[in-house]
Amino acid sequence: MTSLRNRGSRSARLVVAAGAALALTACATSASDDGGSGSREAEYKRVIEDPHPSPADVVKAAGAPSGVARADNGSLLLAYDAGNVEDDEGPAAFAWRIVDPDGRTVAEHAEHTDAEAAPVAFVGVRGGFVQVPPGEGAGGAYALDVDGKRHKVVITETALRTRPGDILLAAPEPTLVYRPATRTLAPPAGVPANGIRFAVDERGTVWSLDQPLTEEPHRVVRQRGGRTLGSIAVPKPYTGGVLAARGGTAALSLIQGDGVRGLLMTTDGGGHWRTVLGGGIPFKSLKRGPEALVLEALADGRLLVGEEGGRYWLAGDRTNTVFRELRTPVRFTSLTVDGTTLYGIADATTATYDLVKGEGLWISGDGGRQWRRYRQR
């Protein structure tokens, strides 16, 4: 899925990069639910120091998922991280749990790790999930089916001519697409040598932001099967930021100075482009900088725009001319989409023994008008 993967700094970390703590926070929203912060601190330390932690203990200690991915059958993979609170070094624990569409756990796994380890992230694919390669390079990636069985991923340096169903798994160094049918991970064919941002839509079209080494403007290039279909220059005085593409829509955030000032978008697969500097989105109110921008395309072509830990806006329809601000039940530290479903995570921004208000995973299937807190059966 898309973030449920990460784009940019988050995300193809997916993500696609969520919420309601399962058993722990089904009825609780603060440390007092566990008998006080002192008892929770002791339990938390025990879990991260355990050389063989149980998945249930890691889930309870973490409080909220660090990421969520959805397979094509509706199963969810929830990832959990419990890191060292006092320092950015030291022991830590990680777990994943696969739940079926009815909310029942079908598989889970936990392991002892350290606070400096790269975050583990997954993307939902046809038939299951695939791990985003940790760090630079493709080594270490593997696939899980919806029953939790682990499968080898074939890693090749031979470029793939993209086709429908291929998924962007990592970018930009290296840029890798994943083909679920063959569980193959490889670079896409024909992408620009100076490409700095990428997106792959459901038709297998690779959208990239080409940054020339000259004074020429940035360009959005679209390709399929290794063949260039067209390109457009980013309008002056802007440079390009984050790319998103799905449902016939492709959009690029426009950067001026140290802020996001609008979008360059097409809603007909690249036939016509327009610049959007408003539409209900107060771009100048986005204070956290271009790298904190959230830009997602829903399966129906609508765009979600916002910034991590802040405010979010969703287009009213696939024309993406008018956006409305989302009302969220609690403050989300991350928000992502899969299909037309929104997944919001409420969590602390740094490792902590205590829980925050509304901690956990929240889900909306109606464009953010109503949210339900995820509770596992």
Side-chain angles (χ1 to χ4, degrees), residues 273-338:
W273 293 82
R274 73 177 192 272
T275 300
V276 177
L277 303 179
I281 303 174
F283 286 102
K284 290 187 177 180
S285 72
L286 302 179
K287 303 298 185 183
R288 299 191 58 198
E291 292 303 317
L293 183 77
V294 176
L295 178 60
E296 300 265 10
L298 280 64
D300 57 13
R302 288 179 295 162
L303 289 174
L304 172 73
V305 184
E307 60 182 355
E308 294 175 354
R311 300 162 65 188
Y312 300 89
W313 293 264
L314 181 66
D317 56 45
R318 71 175 314 275
T319 64
N320 293 294
T321 53
V322 178
F323 293 78
R324 61 176 176 83
E325 186 170 0
L326 293 181
R327 294 181 178 272
T328 60
V330 292
R331 186 180 184 88
F332 292 153
T333 47
S334 67
L335 179 63
T336 190
V337 306
D338 184 271

Side-chain angles (χ1 to χ4, degrees), residues 115-324:
E116 294 181 287
V120 180
F122 293 86
V123 173
V125 297
R126 187 173 73 248
F129 313 90
V130 61
Q131 184 199 9
V132 177
E136 296 184 3
Y142 60 90
L144 295 167
D145 61 28
V146 293
D147 295 320
K149 183 179 179 181
R150 185 164 171 161
H151 299 270
K152 181 181 179 180
V153 170
V154 177
I155 301 171
T156 176
E157 295 182 359
T158 303
L160 284 178
R161 294 181 179 272
T162 53
R163 65 189 190 193
D166 290 348
I167 294 172
L168 180 68
L169 201 61
E173 294 179 359
T175 302
L176 299 168
V177 294
Y178 179 74
R179 182 161 293 169
T182 58
R183 296 195 179 104
T184 301
L185 191 60
V191 296
N194 297 317
I196 57 172
R197 298 284 188 174
F198 296 88
V200 178
D201 65 21
E202 73 279 9
R203 299 183 64 190
T205 304
V206 179
W207 303 79
S208 58
L209 176 63
D210 185 28
Q211 183 184 45
L213 299 178
T214 64
E215 295 300 318
E216 293 296 313
H218 291 187
R219 299 190 70 86
V220 178
V221 181
R222 67 184 192 278
Q223 300 163 304
R224 191 182 306 131
R227 182 172 63 91
T228 299
L229 305 176
S231 67
I232 185 171
V234 175
K236 294 181 178 181
Y238 307 106
T239 57
V242 179
L243 264 174
R246 181 71 45 177
T249 295
L252 172 75
S253 62
L254 297 175
I255 311 302
Q256 186 178 24
D258 58 357
V260 178
R261 294 296 177 257
L263 303 171
L264 176 66
M265 75 168 68
T266 176
T267 56
D268 61 0
H272 302 84
W273 293 82
R274 73 177 192 272
T275 300
V276 177
L277 303 179
I281 303 174
F283 286 102
K284 290 187 177 180
S285 72
L286 302 179
K287 303 298 185 183
R288 299 191 58 198
E291 292 303 317
L293 183 77
V294 176
L295 178 60
E296 300 265 10
L298 280 64
D300 57 13
R302 288 179 295 162
L303 289 174
L304 172 73
V305 184
E307 60 182 355
E308 294 175 354
R311 300 162 65 188
Y312 300 89
W313 293 264
L314 181 66
D317 56 45
R318 71 175 314 275
T319 64
N320 293 294
T321 53
V322 178
F323 293 78
R324 61 176 176 83

Side-chain angles (χ1 to χ4, degrees), residues 83-91 115 351:
N84 192 16
V85 173
E86 284 85 5
D87 199 350
D88 57 2
E89 300 178 349

